[in-house]
Each structure stands twice: as C-alpha cells, then as structure tokens.
Amino acid sequence: MSSAFSSILRDQRIRIPSLTLVTLAFTYASTMPYQSIIGITELGMSDHAYSILIFAAALINVVTSLTLGIWSDKLGDRRLLVLALSVSGMIGFGMIYAFRNTAAFMIGVLLFIPISNATYSVLLASIRAATNTMDRGKATAITSTVRALFSGSWALAPGLIGLYLVSAHSMTPAYGIAGLASLVCFCLYLFLAKGEPRRDALSSQQVGFFSSLARVFSPRVLMRVGILSMMLGLQRLSSVVSPLIITHDAGGSVADVGITAGMVAFLEMPFMLMWGALQRRFRSVHILATGTLIYCAYLVMLSLVTAPWQIYALVVVNACGCAAILSVPITYLQDLIADRPGLGTSLISVNTFAANGVSAGIFALGTSFTSYSGTALLAAGVGVAAILLLLFVEAEKQQLQQSASPR
C-alpha cells in the first residue's frame, strides 16, 4: 500500500480531500457515541421522539447527498460545496454546544448536521474524480487507503473525547469539539484546496436532475444497492445485538463491550489496507463476497458464545469481515455510475440508509421469535443469501457482456 500512500501525498487533488476526511471523522466520532445520552438522558426526550428525530435526520441526509451529488457533477468544482457544508456543521454542532436545550438539539440534529454529513460523499466524489483516469487497481487501492485513514481517525477520537469528558457533568462539549473539527475542515479547503478543473464538470444539458435520479433508481443500480444494503445491514445489526449477547448470553460487562468495540475499530484499519491491496489482483465483487462470508462466520460463532473470553477471541474475525463490508463497497457503488463521481458516490448514503432499515428488520424479526443469539444466526443467513444474489447478478452481467461482444 506504500504506492497508494505516496499517490495520496503527492497529488493535492487527493491529499486535501483525504486530510479533510480524516478531520471530518472527528465530527462523527465526537458526537455519535453520546448523541442518544444527550437527547434522552440530559434533555429529556422520549425514546419515541428520539427515534423519529433520528429517522428524519437520516432521510434528510440521503436526500441531501443525492441532490449535492447531482449538483457537484454539474459544477465540477466541489470546493465551494465543501466550504458550505463545513459551515453547516459549524452551525449545527455549535448551536447544540452553545444553547444546550432541546430546541437547539432538534434543529441541529434534524437540519444542519445531516446536511453537514453530506461532506463525506462530496469528498469521496472529489477523490474519485481525481482517480478516474488512473489504473482501476491503483484507484481502488487509494480509495481503500483513504477509508482506512478515516476509520483510524474514527477509532481514535471516542477514546480521547471520553477521557476529556470523564468528569464532566454534561456530554454537550463533544459537540463543541465537533464544531471545531468542522472549522478545521473549512480552513483546509479555504486555504489549501484549489478549484477543480472545469472540464471535469458535465454540461447542464447532460445533467438533468430527474434523469440523474432515474439512473439511481434503475433496476440495475437499485438491485445492487439493495444487495449491498443487506451486507452492510449485517454490520449494523451486529453493533446492536453484539452488546446484548456480551452482557446477557456471555455474562460479560459494559466494559467488555467498550473494549472489544475499540479493538475491532483499530484492527479494521490494517484489514482495510489488506482488502485494498487485494483489489489490485481480484474483482471487487469477489473480495466483497469473501469478506461478507467471513463476517457471516463471525455472526455464527457470535451466536454460540457463552463466556467473555470467546468474544475477545472473535475480535480478529470480526474486524477482518467488517473491514471488507465497510471499505470495498465504496468503489463498487461508484463504479455503478462511473461517469458521474458525485452521483455514484451519493449511492453510499442510499446504501447506508437502506442498511439501517435491513438491520432494524432483522432485529425485529429475530427477537420476535428467538433470542439475541438466534437473531445473530438469522443475520448470518441473510448474509449468505446476499452473497449468492451478488454473485448471481454479476455472473449474469458478465454473460450478457460476453454475448454482446463481437466474436
């Protein structure tokens, strides 16, 4: 992966978005672990009201990402978009920190922060635009390396912020830290980023809003996004059911939950680099199928644990499969609409939104007739089905391409 690192450091079009993504990770990692505590415990929101708020925020994030993805392809230069989205983050995080009341929390979480979260897609689209002319193996290695750096930053931040807030009476200073991270993102793009060449933009005649949406919702794209949502849903489901299995079936403590989660997060980074290197030699679809199969094996073994030490023994398997599910789909989704970096990258937000729905569905179905361990086993079955579906649709696509090619 040294060549991927050198490419990132050498090319400013990749270096600045990558550095901004690493900084952006602090906005997520500073707030997400504490958001429910602040909303429900500190500000007194009901579980029902908080659930509605989070669902609406996720919906706004998807709509924003799709809209800005289409718009960014039309503009070509994404610098002003990143600056505007960073300002939205400063306002959203800053108002929660400054006012510390329910109204500020709801406005920030529902409006400004979901819009700010679209920065992730815009930055990845900038990197994709810069790597579009490169060898596909090298481009995917760069994307995997950037995603690994993002994960490394994500893994580091919660622990540092947790130590800072350990004796605090309120968790809202976490939003102040996120606001500062948004300010740093703004400064990076204001002072260091250069405008992207206008030739990267598509003409207004080529980019129609509804015609672009039609490409997102075409059967070919929607089917693959749905399959990948099933795979990502496994990781989302595990983040819900794993703590419950640890504290109930395995007899572990909350400390075990935190320690294992931190270990997995740190191990994800080298595994992402490994999967990125393998993408130079093998097709993304086969890498993703292998990684998902490993994660399914983890879920099966998770359903069988009876002691805390067994959870720690599964950390490496967990991180290996999870790294593939989180990193490999980025390039795969972008390739579905390869000629439009912004629109293709916005599929990541659609995939994440659908994956949360898949996770909620598996959890509701599983816990209605079986235990938490049984729910993990059910998720593994869904994962195997997703692997078979992915291999089937890709094999069918390859057969059509071969039959269409001249002999």
PDB file of all heavy atoms in Angstrom, residues 1-10 138 141-142 145 273 277 280:
ATOM      1  N   MET A   1       0.808  -1.203   0.000  1.00  0.00           N
ATOM      2  CA  MET A   1       0.000   0.000   0.000  1.00  0.00           C
ATOM      3  C   MET A   1       0.850   1.265   0.000  1.00  0.00           C
ATOM      4  O   MET A   1       0.337   2.372   0.025  1.00  0.00           O
ATOM      5  CB  MET A   1      -0.919   0.008   1.237  1.00  0.00           C
ATOM      6  CG  MET A   1      -1.922  -1.127   1.265  1.00  0.00           C
ATOM      7  SD  MET A   1      -2.961  -1.212  -0.196  1.00  0.00           S
ATOM      8  CE  MET A   1      -3.965   0.236   0.011  1.00  0.00           C
ATOM      9  N   SER A   2       2.194   1.108   0.003  1.00  0.00           N
ATOM     10  CA  SER A   2       3.060   2.282   0.032  1.00  0.00           C
ATOM     11  C   SER A   2       2.831   3.162  -1.187  1.00  0.00           C
ATOM     12  O   SER A   2       2.891   4.390  -1.107  1.00  0.00           O
ATOM     13  CB  SER A   2       4.528   1.854   0.117  1.00  0.00           C
ATOM     14  OG  SER A   2       4.862   1.035  -0.992  1.00  0.00           O
ATOM     15  N   SER A   3       2.556   2.542  -2.353  1.00  0.00           N
ATOM     16  CA  SER A   3       2.322   3.332  -3.555  1.00  0.00           C
ATOM     17  C   SER A   3       1.032   4.137  -3.434  1.00  0.00           C
ATOM     18  O   SER A   3       0.932   5.253  -3.940  1.00  0.00           O
ATOM     19  CB  SER A   3       2.254   2.418  -4.784  1.00  0.00           C
ATOM     20  OG  SER A   3       1.202   1.474  -4.643  1.00  0.00           O
ATOM     21  N   ALA A   4       0.019   3.567  -2.760  1.00  0.00           N
ATOM     22  CA  ALA A   4      -1.229   4.298  -2.545  1.00  0.00           C
ATOM     23  C   ALA A   4      -0.995   5.494  -1.640  1.00  0.00           C
ATOM     24  O   ALA A   4      -1.482   6.598  -1.903  1.00  0.00           O
ATOM     25  CB  ALA A   4      -2.283   3.372  -1.945  1.00  0.00           C
ATOM     26  N   PHE A   5      -0.226   5.304  -0.575  1.00  0.00           N
ATOM     27  CA  PHE A   5       0.099   6.413   0.325  1.00  0.00           C
ATOM     28  C   PHE A   5       0.872   7.501  -0.413  1.00  0.00           C
ATOM     29  O   PHE A   5       0.612   8.696  -0.250  1.00  0.00           O
ATOM     30  CB  PHE A   5       0.926   5.916   1.522  1.00  0.00           C
ATOM     31  CG  PHE A   5       0.105   5.382   2.653  1.00  0.00           C
ATOM     32  CD1 PHE A   5       0.197   4.054   3.026  1.00  0.00           C
ATOM     33  CD2 PHE A   5      -0.767   6.208   3.354  1.00  0.00           C
ATOM     34  CE1 PHE A   5      -0.555   3.558   4.079  1.00  0.00           C
ATOM     35  CE2 PHE A   5      -1.527   5.718   4.403  1.00  0.00           C
ATOM     36  CZ  PHE A   5      -1.420   4.377   4.769  1.00  0.00           C
ATOM     37  N   SER A   6       1.839   7.089  -1.215  1.00  0.00           N
ATOM     38  CA  SER A   6       2.643   8.073  -1.944  1.00  0.00           C
ATOM     39  C   SER A   6       1.797   8.830  -2.951  1.00  0.00           C
ATOM     40  O   SER A   6       1.989  10.035  -3.149  1.00  0.00           O
ATOM     41  CB  SER A   6       3.817   7.380  -2.644  1.00  0.00           C
ATOM     42  OG  SER A   6       3.356   6.453  -3.611  1.00  0.00           O
ATOM     43  N   SER A   7       0.831   8.149  -3.575  1.00  0.00           N
ATOM     44  CA  SER A   7      -0.063   8.819  -4.517  1.00  0.00           C
ATOM     45  C   SER A   7      -0.929   9.852  -3.801  1.00  0.00           C
ATOM     46  O   SER A   7      -1.179  10.946  -4.322  1.00  0.00           O
ATOM     47  CB  SER A   7      -0.962   7.794  -5.217  1.00  0.00           C
ATOM     48  OG  SER A   7      -0.198   6.909  -6.000  1.00  0.00           O
ATOM     49  N   ILE A   8      -1.392   9.502  -2.604  1.00  0.00           N
ATOM     50  CA  ILE A   8      -2.204  10.432  -1.812  1.00  0.00           C
ATOM     51  C   ILE A   8      -1.389  11.661  -1.427  1.00  0.00           C
ATOM     52  O   ILE A   8      -1.855  12.798  -1.543  1.00  0.00           O
ATOM     53  CB  ILE A   8      -2.756   9.731  -0.549  1.00  0.00           C
ATOM     54  CG1 ILE A   8      -3.777   8.664  -0.949  1.00  0.00           C
ATOM     55  CG2 ILE A   8      -3.385  10.745   0.410  1.00  0.00           C
ATOM     56  CD1 ILE A   8      -4.205   7.766   0.192  1.00  0.00           C
ATOM     57  N   LEU A   9      -0.169  11.436  -0.979  1.00  0.00           N
ATOM     58  CA  LEU A   9       0.683  12.547  -0.529  1.00  0.00           C
ATOM     59  C   LEU A   9       1.146  13.420  -1.693  1.00  0.00           C
ATOM     60  O   LEU A   9       1.308  14.635  -1.545  1.00  0.00           O
ATOM     61  CB  LEU A   9       1.897  11.990   0.220  1.00  0.00           C
ATOM     62  CG  LEU A   9       1.605  11.275   1.543  1.00  0.00           C
ATOM     63  CD1 LEU A   9       2.885  10.655   2.100  1.00  0.00           C
ATOM     64  CD2 LEU A   9       1.002  12.243   2.559  1.00  0.00           C
ATOM     65  N   ARG A  10       1.322  12.816  -2.856  1.00  0.00           N
ATOM     66  CA  ARG A  10       1.892  13.517  -3.997  1.00  0.00           C
ATOM     67  C   ARG A  10       0.871  14.386  -4.732  1.00  0.00           C
ATOM     68  O   ARG A  10       1.190  15.468  -5.209  1.00  0.00           O
ATOM     69  CB  ARG A  10       2.492  12.494  -4.972  1.00  0.00           C
ATOM     70  CG  ARG A  10       3.677  13.000  -5.769  1.00  0.00           C
ATOM     71  CD  ARG A  10       4.399  11.884  -6.483  1.00  0.00           C
ATOM     72  NE  ARG A  10       3.515  10.878  -7.038  1.00  0.00           N
ATOM     73  CZ  ARG A  10       3.565   9.591  -6.737  1.00  0.00           C
ATOM     74  NH1 ARG A  10       4.444   9.143  -5.861  1.00  0.00           N
ATOM     75  NH2 ARG A  10       2.740   8.724  -7.290  1.00  0.00           N
ATOM     76  N   LYS A 138      -5.031   0.688  -8.976  1.00  0.00           N
ATOM     77  CA  LYS A 138      -4.408   1.748  -8.197  1.00  0.00           C
ATOM     78  C   LYS A 138      -5.476   2.651  -7.582  1.00  0.00           C
ATOM     79  O   LYS A 138      -5.362   3.061  -6.414  1.00  0.00           O
ATOM     80  CB  LYS A 138      -3.487   2.575  -9.095  1.00  0.00           C
ATOM     81  CG  LYS A 138      -2.751   3.696  -8.361  1.00  0.00           C
ATOM     82  CD  LYS A 138      -1.829   4.446  -9.306  1.00  0.00           C
ATOM     83  CE  LYS A 138      -1.086   5.568  -8.577  1.00  0.00           C
ATOM     84  NZ  LYS A 138      -0.188   6.315  -9.492  1.00  0.00           N
ATOM     85  N   ALA A 141      -7.109   0.961  -4.625  1.00  0.00           N
ATOM     86  CA  ALA A 141      -6.173   0.920  -3.507  1.00  0.00           C
ATOM     87  C   ALA A 141      -6.135   2.270  -2.789  1.00  0.00           C
ATOM     88  O   ALA A 141      -6.084   2.338  -1.553  1.00  0.00           O
ATOM     89  CB  ALA A 141      -4.776   0.541  -3.996  1.00  0.00           C
ATOM     90  N   ILE A 142      -6.175   3.355  -3.561  1.00  0.00           N
ATOM     91  CA  ILE A 142      -6.196   4.693  -2.963  1.00  0.00           C
ATOM     92  C   ILE A 142      -7.472   4.903  -2.161  1.00  0.00           C
ATOM     93  O   ILE A 142      -7.435   5.397  -1.024  1.00  0.00           O
ATOM     94  CB  ILE A 142      -6.061   5.774  -4.064  1.00  0.00           C
ATOM     95  CG1 ILE A 142      -4.635   5.778  -4.626  1.00  0.00           C
ATOM     96  CG2 ILE A 142      -6.416   7.161  -3.517  1.00  0.00           C
ATOM     97  CD1 ILE A 142      -4.457   6.680  -5.829  1.00  0.00           C
ATOM     98  N   THR A 145      -7.320   2.958   1.043  1.00  0.00           N
ATOM     99  CA  THR A 145      -6.389   3.572   1.984  1.00  0.00           C
ATOM    100  C   THR A 145      -7.023   4.786   2.651  1.00  0.00           C
ATOM    101  O   THR A 145      -6.901   4.980   3.874  1.00  0.00           O
ATOM    102  CB  THR A 145      -5.102   3.997   1.253  1.00  0.00           C
ATOM    103  OG1 THR A 145      -4.517   2.847   0.635  1.00  0.00           O
ATOM    104  CG2 THR A 145      -4.107   4.608   2.232  1.00  0.00           C
ATOM    105  N   LEU A 273      -6.592  -1.916   4.515  1.00  0.00           N
ATOM    106  CA  LEU A 273      -5.427  -1.807   3.634  1.00  0.00           C
ATOM    107  C   LEU A 273      -5.172  -3.128   2.916  1.00  0.00           C
ATOM    108  O   LEU A 273      -4.822  -3.152   1.734  1.00  0.00           O
ATOM    109  CB  LEU A 273      -4.193  -1.394   4.444  1.00  0.00           C
ATOM    110  CG  LEU A 273      -4.243  -0.017   5.112  1.00  0.00           C
ATOM    111  CD1 LEU A 273      -3.000   0.199   5.965  1.00  0.00           C
ATOM    112  CD2 LEU A 273      -4.360   1.084   4.063  1.00  0.00           C
ATOM    113  N   ALA A 277      -5.335  -3.781  -1.141  1.00  0.00           N
ATOM    114  CA  ALA A 277      -4.239  -4.353  -1.914  1.00  0.00           C
ATOM    115  C   ALA A 277      -4.717  -5.536  -2.762  1.00  0.00           C
ATOM    116  O   ALA A 277      -4.314  -5.702  -3.922  1.00  0.00           O
ATOM    117  CB  ALA A 277      -3.129  -4.807  -0.966  1.00  0.00           C
ATOM    118  N   ARG A 280      -6.304  -4.980  -6.254  1.00  0.00           N
ATOM    119  CA  ARG A 280      -5.445  -4.808  -7.424  1.00  0.00           C
ATOM    120  C   ARG A 280      -5.396  -6.087  -8.260  1.00  0.00           C
ATOM    121  O   ARG A 280      -5.135  -6.047  -9.459  1.00  0.00           O
ATOM    122  CB  ARG A 280      -4.026  -4.435  -6.990  1.00  0.00           C
ATOM    123  CG  ARG A 280      -3.860  -2.967  -6.571  1.00  0.00           C
ATOM    124  CD  ARG A 280      -2.433  -2.744  -6.083  1.00  0.00           C
ATOM    125  NE  ARG A 280      -2.159  -1.331  -5.911  1.00  0.00           N
ATOM    126  CZ  ARG A 280      -1.602  -0.542  -6.813  1.00  0.00           C
ATOM    127  NH1 ARG A 280      -1.271  -1.041  -7.987  1.00  0.00           N
ATOM    128  NH2 ARG A 280      -1.370   0.733  -6.569  1.00  0.00           N
TER     129      ARG A 280
END
